[in-house]
Amino acid sequence: MNEASDPSRVIHLNQRLDPASERVGELLGSVRSIAGKRLQQWVGNAFEHVDDALFDLAEKAENNAAQMHYFDGMREVRKRRPAVERSFLGAISRHIGELPHPQLSGNPASPFGTPELTLVADNELEESLAITSMISKNDARLARDLFTVNQRLSVICGGRKIEDSSNPVAPAILAQAFRQALHELSADMRVKLIIYKLFDRYVLSSLEELYQEINTELVRAGVLPQLRHEVLRGDAKGAGPAAADEATGEIPSDLLQTLHALFSARRGPAAGGMHAIPSGPLPSANELLGALSVLQSQIASAGPLPYAQPDDAAALSREVLQLKGQLLTQLGALRGERPSNVATIDEDTIDLVGMLFEFILEDRNLPATMQVMLARLQIPYLKAAILDRKLFAHRQHPARRLLDCLAEQAKSWSEESDRDRRLHDKVKSTVDQLLHDFDDDMGIFERLLVDLQQFQDLNKRRSELAEQRVAESTRGREKLEQARRRAAREILDRIGEHKLPPLVHGVLARAWANHLVLTLLRQGEGSPEFKSALRFVDDFIASTKPATTLESRQALRQMLPGIERALRQGLANVAFQEQDIERLLGQLHTYYRQQLGETPEATEAVVVGEDAAMLAIPDSIQPVIDQDTTPPDSVEEDLVEAPLDSPEWHQVQSLQPGTWLEFCLPDEPMTRAKLSWISPMSGRYLFVNRRGLKVADYSPQELTVLITDGHARMLAANALFDRAMTAIVDKLSQPGTTPPADTATE
């Protein structure tokens, strides 16, 4: 017999099982068995694709060294794969077994915590960013199914609250456990990042199947058998124990009652045409749908929607307000007499849909071109709301999700980022299909939603690749700039007040500064190589001091072999040709003979004494500092002044990657860009368009001034439908507000 059908075996939310009981052990054993089997299969699948991925990259590598990194990685993965899989699967199995006894291990996430993130090496930070990105993406996607797993595990673990951060099969714990397991590999970070992508693709992307299997098994065992149906109607973002209405995905019933009461209060006997004395029976739902279908066909018969123009918004706004009157007129044409009113519930629905599309035409979150296209969906959505009253009551209703998805895509649109009109045409195509094909089959919303999501996913994958390249390029430039500043500062600090000969200054400012930069980037500032390069600067400067005594000349002669040896090595490091090195050393020999009081040839003395000595340094070596350069840190960039206590400053400080902004700069077209990355080195904000291409980067001060001056503004992150419902309630709650469509019936 199914345990869930046996009342004595059903475990409800307010019940607690003894964590030490045999039944808890059995239930967790089932969870562990399901998770172990699935994860072993998926991780194995991910590793099966590593060779192909690394081989493809090796073939495209920019040089032999990069190619060898990938080939070395392939060999290392083949050798260490069994150990990685054992470590990963063992960690998850152990955490599941310890769930009822948190004191044995503490929070499962704790071993993976990185409180010293500011101190980690760049490659570890890159790894952390990759992990964080995987977790956040899958947390949002899996929230509904994971919520039910959390609830059921909480019950069988004696009431201990299980959340995403403590659930061993949640994306966060799985990703961090895999990160720990990859410590078994000594592969290059580029190789590890490829493995993480495959882990995301073949493991984390398959977790719905795991959660459904766990939920099915626990329901079969009688654990919260009714929870599944309630939560599946839920809002992925709202799923959680905060409120029962959010967990079930329904708009709180008091909100719907509030809307009904607000509409009723704003109408009255004198409110207008729809509330006159009835002249006949009220139109049925079928009559309303028939009249709407006629109006819809009139729009559809006009042919495909033209390329939307922002100027259309005013005309469409009038159409939105006049729909109620047009509907009554059409009902009259079908009936032979115009009805004076409709049922209250139908009028509420008509007004609610009307206000929804009024909101769309006023919503600055949407570009004007997109507002115009979406506003044409008023009739299909009014039909959908009459056919299925749950449209406004359930966040997961396909029609509601389709409109939210269209709005989310539209939010990122701008002419500049959609020159091929791919996104514009996709939105237009979706609108066209609803206008032409929607009669009474509500399944069309689900089909169009799936199609739009596939389009969205494809473009997201493309943009993420481009976005990653932009971030990596920006990170590389910042590292280079930071190293150049450091090298310049070290040299200038050591030069101080010394007046160096042009030849010596030229070597330090150009060739040696570049050698310092490369050493910093390759070996780091704590390396012996960097310290040795700095010692050369001290020695080279000291060698220019006048040698007027026997002791000073002897000291100089002892220094020269070391200077020449270090200089040869450093110049070779910055790609000096052998003949250039010999030419430069020849000029230095001439200079030092002068320093030692030896008489050089006349021709040699002329070359050394002129600024033309700088010509001994190849033009390919870009100067890091110039003769009159002051230390970079002493001359700040022209920072824009921004009040540090203004609301705009705090707004900028709270910005998170993924936030969209609209930029309207003087003499430039409007563009929309997403905050892609905040540099941990410079603090600058990198923005990309919907294709993942760089739009701009700003310092926090610059961005604050743009927002203050109205040249930039943040776009809302929450769904269109939620924003609209809040705005409608606020609007109806204001004194003197009447439902918008009433005035259109006269």
Side-chain angles (χ1 to χ4, degrees):
M1 182 177 70
N2 190 327
E3 294 183 28
S5 64
D6 180 358
S8 66
R9 302 286 287 175
V10 173
I11 309 168
H12 295 289
L13 193 60
N14 58 354
Q15 289 181 271
R16 303 284 186 266
L17 289 181
D18 180 359
S21 70
E22 184 178 337
R23 190 167 184 215
V24 168
E26 291 174 359
L27 293 172
L28 285 180
S30 297
V31 172
R32 180 160 45 196
S33 174
I34 293 168
K37 178 182 175 183
R38 290 292 179 193
L39 293 174
Q40 183 175 24
Q41 172 191 342
W42 294 334
V43 170
N45 199 15
F47 274 115
E48 289 298 324
H49 288 81
V50 170
D51 261 17
D52 289 342
L54 293 180
F55 189 80
D56 288 346
L57 289 169
E59 283 192 319
K60 299 171 186 172
E62 63 275 14
N63 53 50
N64 290 338
Q67 192 174 61
M68 286 309 299
H69 275 302
Y70 294 124
F71 286 136
D72 290 344
M74 289 165 65
R75 285 191 291 271
E76 176 72 6
V77 169
R78 288 173 189 167
K79 183 171 68 174
R80 304 301 300 166
R81 170 182 168 179
V84 173
E85 291 185 5
R86 272 197 310 273
S87 173
F88 171 67
L89 296 171
I92 300 305
S93 176
R94 185 169 63 255
H95 290 317
I96 293 174
E98 291 169 350
L99 266 180
H101 312 288
Q103 66 278 8
L104 295 180
S105 62
N107 187 330
S110 61
F112 313 117
T114 52
E116 299 86 11
L117 263 182
T118 55
L119 303 178
V120 298
D122 285 341
N123 60 346
E124 290 183 47
L125 180 58
E126 198 167 8
E127 187 178 27
S128 295
L129 291 172
I131 293 286
T132 302
S133 173
M134 278 197 300
I135 293 171
S136 58
K137 176 181 70 175
N138 287 286
D139 271 348
R141 185 177 61 84
L142 298 165
R144 279 188 302 152
D145 291 327
L146 187 54
F147 170 69
T148 56
V149 176
N150 290 342
Q151 293 291 91
R152 292 189 168 101
L153 289 178
S154 297
V155 170
I156 65 177
C157 288
R160 174 179 166 245
K161 190 174 183 181
I162 304 297
E163 299 179 302
D164 294 0
S165 60
S166 56
N167 186 336
V169 293
I173 304 300
L174 292 173
Q176 295 288 16
F178 191 68
R179 179 183 189 173
Q180 288 291 106
L182 279 191
H183 288 171
E184 299 282 348
L185 284 180
S186 59
D188 181 85
M189 181 50 63
R190 284 174 290 184
V191 172
K192 286 191 175 183
L193 291 176
I194 296 300
I195 297 174
Y196 282 131
K197 288 179 182 176
L198 293 171
F199 179 78
D200 184 21
R201 184 182 303 168
Y202 292 103
V203 180
L204 299 186
S205 295
S206 306
L207 287 178
E208 293 104 327
E209 189 178 339
L210 173 62
Y211 297 160
Q212 287 166 12
E213 195 168 343
I214 290 174
N215 276 320
T216 300
E217 177 61 23
L218 294 179
V219 167
R220 188 191 65 77
V223 182
L224 302 180
Q226 300 305 316
L227 180 64
R228 180 177 65 86
H229 303 291
E230 295 173 357
V231 177
L232 285 179
R233 295 198 306 269
D235 175 17
K237 295 180 181 177
D245 283 323
E246 290 191 11
T248 60
E250 297 185 7
I251 294 176
S253 57
D254 59 345
L255 176 56
L256 293 177
Q257 292 170 3
T258 299
L259 284 169
H260 176 70
L262 287 170
F263 279 130
S264 298
R266 295 300 173 186
R267 301 187 188 104
M274 273 205 155
H275 291 276
I277 297 172
S279 59
L282 296 177
S284 66
N286 283 337
E287 283 184 289
L288 288 172
L289 290 169
L292 287 169
S293 292
V294 172
L295 295 175
Q296 179 181 329
S297 66
Q298 290 171 358
I299 298 174
S301 63
L305 292 177
Y307 188 84
Q309 299 297 325
D311 294 342
D312 296 340
L316 272 173
S317 184
R318 288 191 295 273
E319 289 180 25
V320 166
L321 294 173
Q322 293 166 359
L323 179 59
K324 188 188 289 186
Q326 293 173 353
L327 180 57
L328 286 174
T329 300
Q330 188 58 51
L331 281 167
L334 294 174
R335 268 191 173 192
E337 60 174 350
R338 174 180 165 132
S340 56
N341 65 348
V342 297
T344 301
I345 188 170
D346 291 327
E347 186 169 8
D348 285 352
T349 301
I350 294 168
D351 287 340
L352 195 50
V353 172
M355 294 187 80
L356 167 65
F357 281 86
E358 255 197 303
F359 176 84
I360 287 174
L361 284 168
E362 295 169 357
D363 183 20
R364 290 190 64 202
N365 222 49
L366 297 172
T369 299
M370 291 291 165
Q371 286 177 323
V372 167
M373 281 198 288
L374 296 187
R376 296 185 182 277
L377 292 175
Q378 184 184 11
I379 291 176
Y381 269 80
L382 180 51
K383 285 175 65 176
I386 292 172
L387 280 166
D388 187 355
R389 307 287 182 185
K390 295 177 183 177
L391 190 153
F392 281 96
H394 290 86
R395 286 189 173 91
Q396 292 302 308
H397 194 286
R400 178 169 176 161
R401 290 172 61 207
L402 176 62
L403 190 58
D404 280 341
C405 192
L406 282 167
E408 186 63 25
Q409 288 286 289
K411 180 172 75 172
S412 65
W413 182 88
S414 63
E415 289 273 10
E416 173 273 332
S417 69
D418 193 38
R419 290 176 183 171
D420 58 3
R421 287 175 47 177
R422 184 177 297 173
L423 175 58
H424 178 280
D425 290 349
K426 185 63 181 178
V427 173
K428 188 163 80 71
S429 166
T430 305
V431 172
D432 274 335
Q433 286 182 71
L434 270 178
L435 281 172
H436 283 81
D437 301 339
F438 176 47
D439 185 17
D440 57 4
D441 175 17
M442 293 294 288
I444 190 173
F445 291 98
E446 185 70 48
R447 293 191 293 275
L448 288 174
L449 175 63
V450 169
D451 180 59
L452 186 61
Q453 286 174 332
Q454 289 173 346
F455 171 85
Q456 182 180 8
D457 290 343
L458 178 63
N459 283 283
K460 186 178 179 183
R461 286 195 295 273
R462 288 174 178 162
S463 67
E464 282 176 347
L465 287 172
E467 194 173 335
Q468 185 179 0
R469 286 194 290 268
V470 169
E472 288 171 354
S473 171
T474 305
R475 189 184 296 114
R477 282 198 302 273
E478 288 202 345
K479 284 182 179 178
L480 175 60
E481 181 60 27
Q482 191 178 54
R484 287 168 62 85
R485 286 173 175 270
R486 174 68 185 277
R489 186 175 66 246
E490 293 287 357
I491 291 173
L492 291 168
D493 284 350
R494 283 165 168 75
I495 292 175
E497 300 300 320
H498 293 291
K499 293 296 182 184
L500 300 180
L503 177 61
V504 173
H505 189 283
V507 171
L508 289 176
R510 299 176 74 179
W512 202 258
N514 279 281
H515 172 59
L516 282 175
V517 168
L518 288 176
T519 306
L520 267 173
L521 292 174
R522 291 171 180 169
Q523 276 83 32
E525 62 179 337
S527 65
E529 292 86 352
F530 184 65
K531 292 175 182 176
S532 174
L534 292 179
R535 281 197 299 272
F536 170 83
V537 178
D538 293 328
D539 292 344
F540 202 33
I541 293 171
S543 74
T544 65
K545 294 178 182 177
T548 55
T549 66
L550 181 61
E551 289 179 355
S552 60
R553 285 194 290 273
Q554 188 175 357
L556 177 57
R557 285 192 178 94
Q558 290 175 347
M559 290 173 65
L560 290 180
I563 288 176
E564 180 174 343
R565 188 166 53 251
L567 195 54
R568 280 185 183 277
Q569 185 179 352
L571 294 177
N573 185 42
V574 289
F576 257 67
Q577 299 298 317
E578 186 64 33
Q579 63 269 25
D580 291 326
I581 294 176
E582 294 303 329
R583 184 156 58 107
L584 180 58
L585 288 175
Q587 293 193 353
L588 284 171
H589 289 158
T590 301
Y591 167 73
Y592 285 124
R593 284 203 297 275
Q594 289 177 328
Q595 285 288 86
L596 292 168
E598 300 172 4
T599 305
E601 297 294 330
T603 54
E604 293 177 327
V606 171
V607 174
V608 174
E610 294 178 351
D611 287 348
M614 291 282 284
L615 297 176
I617 301 171
D619 291 336
S620 60
I621 303 298
Q622 182 182 1
V624 173
I625 53 178
D626 297 319
Q627 179 76 39
D628 299 323
T629 303
T630 52
D633 287 351
S634 68
V635 181
E636 294 291 336
E637 296 177 10
D638 294 332
L639 291 179
V640 183
E641 289 295 326
L644 301 185
D645 58 349
S646 67
E648 292 81 8
W649 172 258
H650 292 296
Q651 196 177 32
V652 168
Q653 292 298 305
S654 65
L655 275 179
Q656 296 294 320
T659 304
W660 283 87
L661 278 77
E662 180 182 83
F663 293 95
C664 298
L665 303 178
D667 304 321
E668 291 186 26
M670 179 278 289
T671 189
R672 292 183 169 221
K674 180 181 72 172
L675 175 58
S676 171
W677 180 65
I678 302 174
S679 168
M681 287 187 282
S682 66
R684 293 183 73 82
Y685 289 54
L686 173 67
F687 290 92
V688 299
N689 62 19
R690 58 174 293 272
R691 294 162 58 201
L693 303 178
K694 180 178 176 180
V695 171
D697 67 287
Y698 297 106
S699 70
Q701 293 88 348
E702 291 167 339
L703 191 55
T704 299
V705 170
L706 287 176
I707 292 175
T708 304
D709 293 346
H711 296 313
R713 63 182 184 87
M714 281 197 288
L715 302 178
N718 56 332
L720 168 72
F721 235 101
D722 287 339
R723 295 199 313 277
M725 295 297 286
T726 302
I728 289 169
V729 172
D730 289 345
K731 188 172 184 178
L732 289 173
S733 301
Q734 294 170 5
T737 305
T738 57
D742 281 3
T743 57
T745 62
E746 297 174 359

